[in-house]
Amino acid sequence: MLSRHIALKFDTAIRNILTRAEGPRADVMTPRLGRLEDAETAQEQACARIIQAMEPDERAVLCLTYGLTGHKPIPPHCAADVLGWSLIQVMTVGEGAILRLRNAASARAALEPLLQSLHPRLLAVADEIYEMRLADIPRRKRDLVLKRFWCDLTPLERLALRGYGEGEVPEMEHALQRRASGQLLC
């Protein structure tokens, strides 16, 4: 016999599937794009236009997993529960959205300047972590510095760094290389 919790999850998932199948595409629940609509700078507005022009499924996954709705980012398995999809569906749609962002010239034009503007902040974090390494501070505390940096990012910066860029650590290395070659001054 199924536990009550598992039975409720099945019931919710089946209800969402049936709702999505019965209703027109516009009636399907998608997260509110509150944070994207509140974009202030021209750079943020250009990024928001790119995200809002994506397919609704892709936009919903990116909004949930990167926190573009103004809420905290949630992991893919929680996004699957919110959307009523399987984890594989969420991950496939999310990867497709990231690939579309990486390959679209308009997305590249909007997200690359945002990524470039992050490099000085990435340098500061990289230098702090390097100093902590030299002082033999445990990895756990160094990881907290990286987590604090991640939490201080805006949702669009998170998307630029994790989704469009190579991730925090490789982008830090890239920023350090740019500084060493004289392309980036701090």
Side-chain angles (χ1 to χ4, degrees):
M1 185 184 319
L2 293 174
S3 74
R4 178 178 157 82
H5 177 73
I6 293 173
L8 285 174
K9 279 194 160 216
F10 280 141
D11 184 51
T12 303
I14 290 170
R15 187 175 299 131
N16 286 338
I17 290 169
L18 292 175
T19 302
R20 198 176 300 115
E22 291 171 357
R25 194 111 169 117
D27 291 345
V28 176
M29 188 278 298
T30 57
R32 198 180 119 266
L33 299 177
R35 176 66 185 112
L36 288 175
E37 293 166 352
D38 297 339
E40 296 169 357
T41 66
Q43 195 171 22
E44 283 183 345
Q45 290 171 355
C47 292
R49 280 192 296 275
I50 298 298
I51 303 298
Q52 289 173 330
M54 296 180 85
E55 294 289 322
D57 293 345
E58 292 176 342
R59 186 176 58 234
V61 170
L62 289 180
C63 285
L64 290 172
T65 56
Y66 287 96
L68 298 174
T69 57
H71 300 3
K72 287 174 49 176
I74 61 175
H77 69 276
C78 292
D81 289 342
V82 169
L83 295 170
W85 298 352
S86 69
L87 177 59
I88 299 297
Q89 270 183 301
V90 168
M91 294 183 78
T92 303
V93 169
E95 287 299 315
I98 296 300
L99 285 174
R100 189 176 323 288
L101 285 177
R102 286 179 187 239
N103 294 325
S106 58
R108 192 167 43 255
L111 291 170
E112 268 184 25
L114 190 59
L115 193 58
Q116 295 297 325
S117 69
L118 276 173
H119 277 186
R121 290 171 56 195
L122 287 165
L123 280 174
V125 172
D127 287 341
E128 185 178 353
I129 290 172
Y130 179 71
E131 292 296 324
M132 292 174 83
R133 269 193 189 149
L134 289 177
D136 286 331
I137 294 177
R139 181 183 177 98
R140 179 175 35 90
K141 291 189 179 181
R142 294 191 313 250
D143 288 345
L144 287 175
V145 170
L146 199 57
K147 183 177 181 181
R148 184 184 56 212
F149 169 74
W150 177 251
C151 291
D152 290 341
L153 293 174
T154 66
L156 288 172
E157 289 173 332
R158 284 186 199 122
L159 179 63
L161 190 60
R162 273 244 176 109
Y164 180 73
E166 302 297 323
E168 297 96 323
V169 175
E171 287 295 336
M172 281 182 197
E173 292 170 2
H174 182 63
L176 288 169
Q177 290 170 355
R178 288 185 64 216
R179 181 172 66 182
S181 68
Q183 295 176 346
L184 184 66
L185 302 173
C186 258

